[in-house]
Amino acid sequence: MADPLPRPKLNIAGKFAHAFLHSKLTPLIILATTLFGLLAIALTPRTYNPDIVVPVVNITVERPGSNAKEMLNQVVRPLEALLGSLPGVDHTYGVAQDDVAVVTVRFLVGQDEERSLVKVYNQVNSNLNRIPPGTSPPLIQLLSLYDVPILTLTLSSATATPDALRGVALHVLEQLRNVPGVGKSWVQGAAARAVRVWLDPARLAGYGLSPAAIAAAIHATNVDLAAGSVVSDGREHPIRVGAALGDAADVGNVVVGVRAGRPIFLRDVATVTTAPAADDVRSFFTFGPAAAQAGRKAGVGEPAVTIALARQKGTNGVAVASAVLAKLQTIRREALPQGVTLTVTRNDGATADDAVNTLMEHLGISIAAVVAILLVFLGWREASVVALSIPLILFIVLGVGWVAGQTINRITLFALILSLGLLVDDSIVVIENIHRHLHHERQRNFSRLMVAAANEIGKPTIIATFTVILALIPMAFVTGMMGPFMRPIPFNAPIAMLASLFIAYTVVPYVAYRWLRRKALRVMAEAEAATLEERGEAP
């Protein structure tokens, strides 16, 4: 049974130590905190930097036949004035060129992406009546942080054509899109195949046709739409006009005019072929010196295409990249043709994981340094008590960050390293005061000693802790792009210090009572023997 507790009035620190010193709830707190922290480490997304939300929306407007100056005065400037009045907009800027204009709207840091997109969409669509005649409907696109690929895979070959590589890449991408967490994905480095029409000016002039008439004829022929329905025998049959053009032969058979009662086909006035949509899109992959060992030609570029994969919002970039690479092992064996090499050219998941692991390693070194100092000045039992409290505090911080939607990144870990010297202060002060009472106070009741030691330094420790917290909180109000980088520090450091206070006055006395009790009995016996010797009495 526990010894009776002291009668003097206890402050909040003494009350906590009193309540948890012999409570069966304390080991449950230790166990729950450990599980909470381990769960947070396993499930919290890992990224290299904090997720910085800066909504950017592009509005693309086409107006064939207008020069850059007309697009600037009639499209760009009115749109900038219209969108600049939206709440939350930080800046607008536009680019005008012949036939097309692009206006970019950048919102303030931290604005919700979906709401920002809706604001722009509503503002544009409610003013469509002000668009000049001949202007195509505006194309509104949101540019997001999650459009940046975390993984790029390059397919290269010395024998396959870029078009063939693109086909292989699309087949691989179709399978990788099924991996959980994969967001926006695309293939780049080779243009998509398209039907190309090369008009012959001499033939056009001979038939009295113009390029505009050719374009109108192709557009009118390439249709696939519903055309009503007919009723027959009491049944309604839908009618659909399915005249969509499929290949170069279909396009060549388009009737573009009539002469002397005979149709003029597009193939009569143009050369129609199937080829890449653009000739200026090319990419090559060059292997380094180490590739010579694998039979590749080092320093020689091979035609290549690249698959880019981004992650979905809220997912763990490290886990997504690992899952894609695991799926890739199967694809390498089953889907890659002979002579095609697949190389991982970018892996932000591995980069983030390495950065986080390095910082965790430094965090472990810092903890070991603190424990070593305590071993020298207080002893291994006291040092072990503090060593137990440090991971418990970090588990609480990581768990709260996980619940709050934070990621584990280099900034959050830097905040933990920064606060490490602060979060161990409370536990060190408590265990040092227990050590002092144990060796210098003639206290026979060990339970009373533990509570008295915690109670004695309670008020100054609490005041010092909250003073540091108040000094860190203003960092949370930093605005602009630096805000998301600075915010983990005023979020994690105060939580770490509050957790340190709680652990110092609940777990530390509980563990110290059990780990130091044998030492306390020995010290008390030695003190009693010394007292008897001073009195000249035999022990």
Side-chain angles (χ1 to χ4, degrees):
M1 180 178 292
D3 295 324
L5 291 169
R7 293 292 181 182
K9 184 178 179 181
L10 299 177
N11 57 37
I12 187 170
K15 290 178 180 178
F16 267 89
H18 175 196
F20 288 92
L21 184 61
H22 299 291
S23 174
K24 293 184 173 149
L25 189 62
T26 309
L28 294 179
I29 291 176
I30 297 174
L31 178 61
T33 301
T34 303
L35 294 177
F36 186 43
L38 294 176
L39 195 62
I41 293 174
L43 299 181
T44 303
R46 292 187 175 192
T47 59
Y48 187 66
N49 287 319
D51 289 343
I52 304 175
V53 180
V54 186
V56 176
V57 181
N58 275 351
I59 301 95
T60 305
V61 180
E62 295 183 357
R63 193 183 180 200
S66 298
N67 58 36
K69 186 175 181 179
E70 290 175 336
M71 296 299 293
L72 175 64
N73 294 325
Q74 299 181 16
V75 176
V76 172
R77 287 177 177 169
L79 267 179
E80 285 184 328
L82 187 68
L83 299 173
S85 62
L86 290 174
V89 170
D90 181 37
H91 187 65
T92 63
Y93 49 94
V95 176
Q97 59 187 35
D98 294 345
D99 304 324
V100 66
V102 179
V103 176
T104 300
V105 184
R106 193 181 77 185
F107 286 80
L108 295 171
V109 177
Q111 293 285 310
D112 185 81
E113 288 185 326
E114 286 76 12
R115 291 183 180 179
S116 300
L117 179 62
V118 170
K119 288 178 184 178
V120 173
Y121 185 84
N122 290 340
Q123 187 79 332
V124 171
N125 281 273
S126 61
N127 290 274
L128 288 177
N129 60 319
R130 300 169 60 181
I131 293 180
T135 305
S136 63
L139 174 63
I140 303 173
Q141 295 176 300
L142 174 68
L143 304 182
S144 172
L145 166 71
Y146 303 99
D147 293 339
V148 178
I150 63 168
L151 195 67
T152 58
L153 313 171
T154 299
L155 299 174
S156 59
S157 175
T159 56
T161 63
D163 188 59
L165 285 174
R166 179 180 172 83
V168 175
L170 290 173
H171 178 64
V172 172
L173 179 59
E174 185 178 352
Q175 300 182 57
L176 294 180
R177 280 174 175 161
N178 296 326
V179 176
V182 171
K184 187 176 180 180
S185 55
W186 63 94
V187 174
Q188 59 189 19
R193 293 187 66 81
V195 176
R196 304 179 72 172
V197 178
W198 301 93
L199 297 175
D200 187 326
R203 292 183 184 179
L204 283 178
Y207 285 110
L209 297 173
S210 66
I214 300 296
I218 296 175
H219 180 74
T221 306
N222 188 29
V223 294
D224 186 3
L225 47 81
S229 61
V230 295
V231 178
S232 176
D233 298 330
R235 293 184 178 181
E236 183 177 5
H237 302 275
I239 299 176
R240 188 170 189 85
V241 177
L245 302 175
D247 52 22
D250 292 342
V251 176
N253 291 329
V254 171
V255 177
V256 295
V258 178
R259 184 175 183 181
R262 294 182 57 189
I264 303 171
F265 297 100
L266 181 59
R267 64 175 180 267
D268 296 332
V269 296
T271 301
V272 184
T273 60
T274 301
D279 290 329
D280 57 350
V281 179
R282 289 286 189 276
S283 67
F284 296 88
F285 185 75
T286 303
F287 291 91
Q293 301 176 359
R296 314 296 302 191
K297 293 183 179 180
V300 178
E302 296 181 356
V305 296
T306 298
I307 301 172
L309 301 163
R311 67 184 179 94
Q312 296 176 3
K313 184 177 181 180
T315 56
N316 189 334
V318 177
V320 173
S322 299
V324 170
L325 294 177
K327 178 74 172 179
L328 207 57
Q329 298 305 316
T330 304
I331 295 176
R332 285 180 189 270
R333 296 191 300 267
E334 300 177 358
L336 287 186
Q338 188 72 21
V340 176
T341 303
L342 192 152
T343 308
V344 179
T345 49
R346 176 177 180 176
N347 187 352
D348 283 353
T351 303
D353 200 34
D354 290 342
V356 169
N357 289 337
T358 300
L359 284 170
M360 283 191 168
E361 179 183 343
H362 292 168
L363 186 62
I365 294 173
S366 302
I367 294 173
V370 171
V371 174
I373 293 172
L374 294 177
L375 281 171
V376 173
F377 290 99
L378 294 181
W380 71 268
R381 289 184 177 87
E382 290 83 350
S384 61
V385 174
V386 178
L388 174 65
S389 69
I390 294 175
L392 292 178
I393 298 168
L394 295 179
F395 286 157
I396 293 175
V397 178
L398 292 173
V400 173
W402 171 46
V403 173
Q406 282 197 337
T407 61
I408 297 179
N409 54 70
R410 58 178 182 163
I411 307 300
T412 55
L413 289 176
F414 170 75
L416 292 180
I417 294 175
L418 174 68
S419 61
L420 180 62
L422 302 174
L423 64 86
V424 298
D425 279 351
D426 297 333
S427 297
I428 291 175
V429 168
V430 172
I431 198 67
E432 191 278 332
N433 206 40
I434 292 174
H435 178 86
R436 184 181 65 83
H437 275 260
L438 183 61
H439 287 273
H440 300 286
E441 299 290 336
R442 302 302 177 102
Q443 176 62 263
R444 296 175 179 272
N445 190 317
F446 193 41
S447 294
R448 183 176 300 173
L449 183 149
M450 303 293 291
V451 176
N455 188 73
E456 186 178 34
I457 45 85
K459 288 183 179 180
T461 306
I462 293 172
I463 292 173
T465 300
F466 277 93
T467 300
V468 177
I469 290 175
L470 291 176
L472 293 173
I473 286 178
M475 297 175 67
F477 300 98
V478 175
T479 58
M481 293 295 291
M482 283 302 297
F485 281 95
M486 301 292 288
R487 205 156 292 128
I489 297 175
F491 178 86
N492 287 286
I495 291 176
M497 298 188 70
L498 291 174
S500 173
L501 268 181
F502 177 76
I503 295 296
Y505 294 123
T506 56
V507 174
V508 169
Y510 178 88
V511 176
Y513 179 82
R514 282 145 185 84
W515 288 2
L516 301 179
R517 189 168 188 177
R518 184 173 298 177
K519 179 179 180 180
L521 293 175
R522 187 179 70 252
V523 171
M524 290 177 183
E526 292 173 355
E528 186 175 352
T531 302
L532 293 176
E533 186 175 350
E534 289 176 2
R535 296 176 180 175
E537 301 176 6

